[in-house]
Amino acid sequence: MLTANRARLDGEIATLAAISEAAAPAVTRIVFSACDLRARAYFKELAHSAGLALREDAVGNTFARWPGSEPGLSAVATGSHIDAIPNAGAYDGTVGVLGGIEAIRALQADGFVPRRAIELILFTSEEPTRFGIGCLGSRLMSGSLDASSGSRLRDQAGSTLDEVRSAAGFTGPLETVRMAAGAYSAFVELHIEQGPLLEREEIPIGIVTAIAAPASLRITIDGEGGHAGAVLMPQRHDAFLAAAEIALAAEAAAKATGAIDTVATAGVCEVFPGAVNSIPSRASLMLDIRDIDGMRRDSVLRSVDASIAGIAARRGVRIATELINADDPASCGPAAIEALREAALSRNLLHREMVSRAYHDSLFMARIAPVAMLFIPCRGGYSHRPDEFASSQHIAQGVEVLAEALRRLSSA
Ligand code: HGY
Ligand code: MN
Ligand code: MN
């Protein structure tokens, strides 16, 4: 029976977590940073040691391939990301990347020979931190983001994606990142749940059937600055207070749908000039609005737009709204879901179907292949925090179910 080498995998997860711009237990690993490049090098070392053939595309998506006995067949893929938002944890994404290597090593140790190649993918920039949009690598692979729009993306320092990626050693036209539908017969991603359900229900395996639809907006408010003591309230056009009203309007609009699946927050807010005794003349806000129902999510976007118009008029400020992305939700592929269910049953593991409220590269891989996701519990449902934690046992169970599913899918 195939078995994950827990001690080895735990050690590799800990080693990767230590490659971080933040002090432990926090992990910060921004795409194309020196840390990210060191982490990529570590991944490639492990993949090479597992006998996998490595290649990188023009945006740094990295492919580690275990050739199959029938090279003419499309491969089965698995994978996730290793970039991490500021002050994050050690398990988001890395469980799917290092766990993917471990699943392949367990299959190799079990003497399995895949009919279809098994390809492990490390996706570039799943997190939106640097370029403002998430899943950059899988968007470009799936055509959800075209190459020319991708080339125009800029980071906070004003550098373009092309400048940053080539400085990191990834060159060539972005158009070459695009993969055709059918490039893979299936894509399965192992990931921590980033929610409380599995832990609460004491179920070790979640089988994702649908992935929520994320939307994000960048909103810039221009008001009128001035002395915080001298300008009387009726004469004020305070840019930050307008931003605050917008954030509250987004929260109210999400709650107003009456559906528990509608969520909204303002994760980024910048205020200018940023002096305690100066009325903010400018503020910028980034909103993240999601739902597993795309139509309902769009109704929240419309409601926020209407609120913005009222706030601008009432407060005498100018408000510019940029829709960064408004993606469709994804349904997972029945055969891939079935492979995960059979794999969990073969390990006698309790499992349940569920939706993913976080987005993942699977959301975009679903545009070019049937996908499914495999969740494992994380403590308290915490994620994107230094105290994010998944137990060695749950990670090993997830790896062994992933390996069993890859066995099935690569033999089909
Ligand atoms: O934000 C997300 O859903 C993902 O964790 N990047
Ligand atoms: Mn994340
Ligand atoms: Mn993730």
Side-chain angles (χ1 to χ4, degrees):
M1 174 137 133
L2 61 81
T3 311
N5 182 326
R6 285 175 56 171
R8 175 174 59 186
L9 181 53
D10 292 350
E12 290 164 352
I13 289 174
T15 303
L16 182 55
I19 306 175
S20 161
E21 286 136 22
V27 176
T28 299
R29 197 162 44 235
I30 306 303
V31 67
F32 297 138
S33 64
C35 257
D36 179 42
L37 300 183
R38 286 206 309 278
R40 287 165 176 267
Y42 179 59
F43 165 74
K44 289 186 284 186
E45 190 190 301
L46 296 178
H48 181 71
S49 306
L52 304 180
L54 281 160
R55 77 174 179 89
E56 294 166 324
D57 71 14
V59 79
N61 292 314
T62 305
F63 305 84
R65 193 178 185 96
W66 180 12
S69 57
E70 297 189 33
L73 295 176
S74 56
V76 176
T78 185
S80 196
H81 64 99
I82 60 169
D83 63 314
I85 69 169
N87 202 45
Y91 302 89
D92 174 6
T94 60
V95 162
V97 174
L98 299 180
I101 295 181
E102 186 56 33
I104 289 170
R105 290 184 301 212
L107 285 165
Q108 290 170 340
D110 204 42
F112 175 66
V113 176
R115 186 164 165 257
R116 295 172 179 276
I118 295 177
E119 188 145 84
L120 173 58
I121 308 172
L122 181 160
F123 292 97
T124 281
S125 198
E126 191 271 352
E127 299 293 3
T129 311
R130 184 157 191 179
F131 293 101
I133 188 167
C135 299
L136 186 53
S138 51
R139 283 178 190 273
L140 288 164
M141 273 173 74
S142 63
S144 164
L145 178 71
D146 63 73
S148 63
S149 308
S151 291
R152 286 196 299 274
L153 290 172
R154 290 182 183 274
D155 66 10
Q156 294 88 343
S159 305
T160 65
L161 172 61
D162 285 351
E163 289 161 349
V164 174
R165 69 184 175 98
S166 47
F170 303 112
T171 52
L174 273 187
E175 286 78 2
T176 58
V177 174
R178 181 81 166 88
M179 290 184 116
Y184 294 114
S185 61
F187 174 78
V188 179
E189 180 171 6
L190 170 60
H191 205 284
I192 56 171
E193 179 196 342
Q194 296 177 305
L197 281 185
L198 292 176
E199 183 188 56
R200 189 189 306 157
E201 295 178 6
E202 295 180 4
I203 296 177
I205 297 291
I207 298 176
V208 173
T209 55
I211 304 169
S216 56
L217 301 126
R218 183 179 289 112
I219 299 170
T220 309
I221 303 103
D222 283 298
E224 215 168 293
H227 192 291
V231 179
L232 302 181
M233 294 307 277
Q235 278 73 53
R236 292 193 179 193
H237 305 284
D238 188 319
F240 168 69
L241 292 179
E245 270 205 69
I246 294 168
L248 289 172
E251 179 192 44
K255 288 181 175 174
T257 69
I260 196 68
D261 296 318
T262 321
V263 292
T265 190
V268 175
C269 181
E270 285 156 7
V271 179
F272 179 83
V276 65
N277 57 350
S278 173
I279 301 166
S281 55
R282 167 169 272 227
S284 66
L285 206 57
M286 288 188 80
L287 296 184
D288 180 310
I289 299 170
R290 312 187 190 196
D291 197 316
I292 57 170
D293 177 322
M295 306 266 281
R296 206 166 44 209
R297 190 271 323 272
D298 291 347
S299 72
V300 173
L301 290 174
R302 285 193 299 275
S303 168
V304 169
D305 264 349
S307 301
I308 285 173
I311 293 164
R314 205 163 356 92
R315 289 182 169 274
V317 295
R318 289 183 317 287
I319 302 179
T321 302
E322 177 198 356
L323 181 64
I324 298 169
N325 65 287
D327 303 298
D328 292 336
S331 298
C332 295
I337 292 171
E338 189 52 28
L340 287 178
R341 190 184 295 117
E342 285 171 5
L345 284 171
S346 74
R347 311 292 300 195
N348 296 318
L349 288 172
L350 265 181
H351 54 281
R352 61 157 286 170
E353 290 192 357
M354 57 200 296
V355 300
S356 173
R357 301 187 188 288
Y359 62 72
H360 301 279
D361 291 304
S362 294
L363 178 65
F364 300 98
M365 291 303 282
R367 288 163 170 71
I368 55 172
V371 305
M373 290 192 75
L374 183 53
F375 275 176
I376 60 169
C378 52
R379 184 171 55 200
Y382 304 147
S383 183
H384 285 189
R385 303 175 21 168
D387 56 351
E388 177 185 276
F389 177 78
S391 72
S392 170
Q393 183 191 353
H394 283 147
I395 294 170
Q397 287 169 334
V399 165
E400 288 158 0
V401 171
L402 174 65
E404 285 294 355
L406 292 174
R407 185 206 302 271
R408 283 162 171 74
L409 292 166
S410 65
S411 305

